[in-house]
């Protein structure tokens, strides 16, 4: 680690460097030095992100755009350059490393403690979309093509079932049937996009509550992080992925499915925050599609967990065996709950307009 850290222009001598956070993709470390400055060191997941030069180019472009809109360094991610002036370092094993300034006095939540926490994250992600409204989308590389193309994700699930690489398909007949029974929803938004009825915007695409940093004392948003998947996308997907994670009544991998569902109170809190920050930018149809975005992002993410389970847990970090299957079960349970709540979600959105 010392050799890697020494490549970057960090202040002071390293004191500790420990695994940090609950992200499912990159390997993240909190780097403390004897200077009054902490850093985030990350090994970028090269299986998930094969085109790292363009991934880093996207992040530099987006953070530069955001930095022009604020004078507060805590409100935008700051990359620390390498000694030779680059923005990342490739080690002798071919692994890519990058360093960010640790955003001081910030907290990162894995679950909202109350409605206000989720409303504040809605303000953060709505604000992010608002700040990027005039970003030239064509200059971004689509870093994972078809990232939120739910029909394509269904094809990947079916391929994983066909290949059965880990020999687990026989244990998961009920989950497969459940996912296939909801396939009817998969193209609901993609077909509106194809017809030109929904606009492509510059979106974050991974709007989990733990991808926003809050001020530790005020619990108001400071900055949106995890910019690896910023790409052209649908507003409803950014909205929906936040609901999937943040408005859930139980953690992503809850074992007791009786605890799993979507809270309409949390839904409303997020929607209020999100629309207050970017509602003026959205078309009437985009607003109408927000509840379907929540259902679709939950369905899609669950189908990705299930496919990864069948592929042998090669994509998402798993802390224990069977975690992906558990996640797939909670997600399809949540989809069932959301399906029954679609009308109420729609009325909430109309009421906020
Ligand atoms: P992943 O793609 O694996 O989710 P993230 O970029 O989201 O990786 O980082 C993982 C975690 O590290 C975040 O959820 C957050 O807790 C923490 N983190 C990342 N960047 C920063 C930062 N600049 N300042 C403070 N904490 C950070
Ligand atoms: C991953 O990196 P992280 O943990 O913020 C994933 C998202 C999923 C999420 C599920 C690049 O997000 O798409 O929705 O896990 N990121 C990528 O929790 O695949
Ligand atoms: Mg993350």
């Amino acid at each position: 680690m010392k050799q890697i850290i020494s490549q970057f222009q960090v202040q002071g001598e390293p004191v500790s460097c420990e695994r940090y956070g609950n992200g499912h993709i990159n390997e993240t470390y909190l780097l403390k030095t004897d200077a009054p400055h902490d850093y985030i060191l990350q090994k970028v997941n090269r299986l998930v992100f094969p085109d790292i030069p363009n991934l880093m180019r996207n992040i530099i472009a987006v953070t530069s755009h955001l930095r022009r809109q604020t004078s507060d360094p805590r409100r935008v991610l700051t990359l620390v350059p390498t000694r030779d002036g680059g923005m990342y370092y490739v080690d002798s094993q071919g692994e890519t490393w990058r360093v960010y300034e640790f955003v001081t006095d910030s907290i990162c939540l894995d679950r909202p403690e109350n409605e206000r926490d989720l409303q504040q994250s809605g303000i953060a992600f709505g604000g992010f979309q608002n700040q990027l409204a005039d970003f030239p989308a064509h200059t971004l590389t689509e870093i994972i093509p078809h990232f939120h193309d739910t029909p394509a994700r269904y094809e990947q699930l079916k391929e994983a079932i066909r290949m059965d690489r880990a020999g687990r398909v026989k244990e998961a007949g009920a989950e497969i049937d459940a996912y296939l029974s909801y396939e009817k929803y998969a193209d609901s938004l993609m077909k509106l996009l194809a017809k030109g009825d929904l606009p492509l915007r510059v979106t974050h695409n991974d709007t989990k509550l733990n991808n926003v940093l809050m001020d530790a004392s005020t619990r108001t948003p400071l900055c949106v992080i995890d910019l690896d998947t910023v790409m052209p996308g649908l507003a409803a997907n950014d909205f929906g992925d936040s609901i999937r994670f943040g408005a859930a009544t139980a953690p992503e991998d809850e074992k007791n499915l009786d605890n799993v569902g979507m809270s309409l109170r949390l839904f409303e809190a997020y929607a209020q925050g999100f629309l207050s920050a970017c509602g003026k930018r959205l078309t009437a149809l985009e607003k109408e599609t927000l509840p379907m975005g929540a259902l679709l992002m939950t369905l899609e993410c669950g189908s990705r967990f299930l496919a990864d389970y069948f592929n042998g847990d090669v994509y998402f970090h798993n802390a224990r065996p069977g975690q992906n299957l558990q996640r797939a079960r909670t997600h399809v349970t949540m989809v069932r709950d959301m399906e029954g709540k679609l009308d109420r979600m729609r009325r909430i959105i109309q009421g906020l307009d």
Side-chain angles (χ1 to χ4, degrees):
M1 278 304 199
K2 272 209 162 138
Q3 191 272 337
I4 290 158
I5 296 163
S6 71
Q7 304 298 320
F8 291 90
Q9 297 183 32
V10 299
Q11 289 174 24
E13 283 305 310
V15 172
S16 64
C17 189
E18 310 275 346
R19 275 299 284 269
Y20 189 74
N22 289 320
H24 293 340
I25 301 296
N26 296 312
E27 224 174 273
T28 303
Y29 298 83
L30 171 60
L31 165 62
K32 289 181 175 279
T33 69
D34 57 10
H37 231 86
D38 293 340
Y39 299 93
I40 287 286
L41 169 70
Q42 277 185 328
K43 181 165 94 179
V44 184
N45 186 323
R46 60 175 162 163
L47 185 94
V48 170
F49 301 113
D51 184 2
I52 293 180
N54 275 319
L55 173 138
M56 293 305 294
R57 204 179 51 82
N58 280 356
I59 293 180
I60 293 163
V62 167
T63 52
S64 306
H65 184 89
L66 297 174
R67 194 162 292 109
R68 284 195 285 276
Q69 299 177 47
T70 177
S71 54
D72 181 351
R74 293 165 79 216
R75 292 197 175 267
V76 51
L77 273 179
T78 304
L79 279 163
V80 177
T82 59
R83 304 252 170 237
D84 57 11
M87 287 306 188
Y88 59 95
Y89 167 67
V90 183
D91 70 16
S92 55
Q93 322 281 307
E95 300 289 357
T96 299
W97 298 85
R98 67 184 170 208
V99 173
Y100 288 114
E101 307 264 359
F102 189 94
V103 175
T104 49
D105 300 319
S106 68
I107 52 167
C108 180
L109 304 175
D110 279 304
R111 289 193 71 178
E113 235 166 58
N114 48 42
E115 279 118 63
R116 184 175 174 274
D117 281 344
L118 202 62
Q119 181 233 11
Q120 293 297 312
S121 81
I123 293 176
F125 286 117
F128 184 82
Q129 193 156 126
N130 198 34
Q131 285 179 300
L132 290 176
D134 56 352
F135 185 91
H138 66 276
T139 62
L140 284 176
T141 301
E142 195 184 355
I143 213 70
I144 304 181
H146 302 287
F147 190 61
H148 284 321
D149 177 343
T150 312
R153 294 296 192 177
Y154 259 91
E155 290 315 309
Q156 290 170 3
L157 172 61
K158 289 177 190 169
E159 171 72 2
I161 296 169
R162 266 195 302 277
M163 299 303 289
D164 194 14
R165 285 191 182 88
R168 294 170 169 173
V169 163
K170 58 180 181 305
E171 305 158 15
E175 287 78 11
I176 294 174
D177 289 348
Y179 274 93
L180 294 182
S181 76
Y182 290 111
E183 192 179 358
K184 59 185 180 213
Y185 289 115
D187 71 348
S188 336
L189 296 188
M190 290 303 283
K191 75 181 177 215
L192 293 175
L193 175 67
K195 276 204 292 176
D197 292 349
L198 285 177
L200 266 186
R201 304 200 178 270
V202 175
T203 47
H204 183 279
N205 297 301
D206 189 2
T207 53
K208 289 194 328 198
L209 181 61
N210 66 16
N211 284 333
V212 42
L213 301 178
M214 310 268 200
D215 183 285
S217 45
T218 63
R219 283 176 101 88
T220 54
L222 284 174
C223 125
V224 166
I225 61 169
D226 205 346
L227 304 178
D228 295 328
T229 51
V230 174
M231 282 181 280
L234 297 179
N237 290 344
D238 264 10
F239 176 87
D241 199 42
S242 287
I243 299 300
R244 168 191 78 78
F245 189 84
T249 52
E252 223 176 29
D253 60 349
E254 169 71 37
K255 286 207 177 81
N256 182 356
L257 296 179
D258 292 340
N259 295 337
V260 175
M262 187 209 66
S263 152
L264 282 167
R265 290 201 350 231
L266 286 170
F267 174 91
E268 178 159 13
Y270 185 87
Q272 196 277 327
F274 186 82
L275 289 174
S276 74
C278 76
K280 287 195 182 66
R281 300 246 184 216
L282 303 185
T283 67
L285 184 64
E286 274 180 304
K287 286 183 203 165
E288 264 175 52
T289 57
L290 297 179
M292 184 49 79
L295 186 148
L296 274 182
M297 284 300 96
T298 310
L299 186 61
E300 178 188 289
C301 192
S303 75
R304 293 171 61 202
F305 288 137
L306 189 59
D308 194 35
Y309 178 68
F310 293 146
N311 289 334
D313 306 321
V314 290
Y315 187 97
F316 297 104
H317 290 323
N318 273 242
R320 55 172 184 281
Q323 196 176 15
N324 266 330
L325 180 62
Q326 213 61 56
R327 290 168 174 154
R329 286 183 179 142
T330 60
H331 279 56
V332 79
T333 304
M334 210 147 69
V335 167
R336 193 170 307 127
D337 190 41
M338 287 174 162
E339 188 184 36
K341 289 176 175 165
L342 273 175
D343 278 340
R344 275 176 288 172
M345 288 194 259
R346 287 186 187 116
R347 282 200 295 276
I348 287 171
I349 299 291
Q350 283 159 8
L352 289 170
D353 219 0

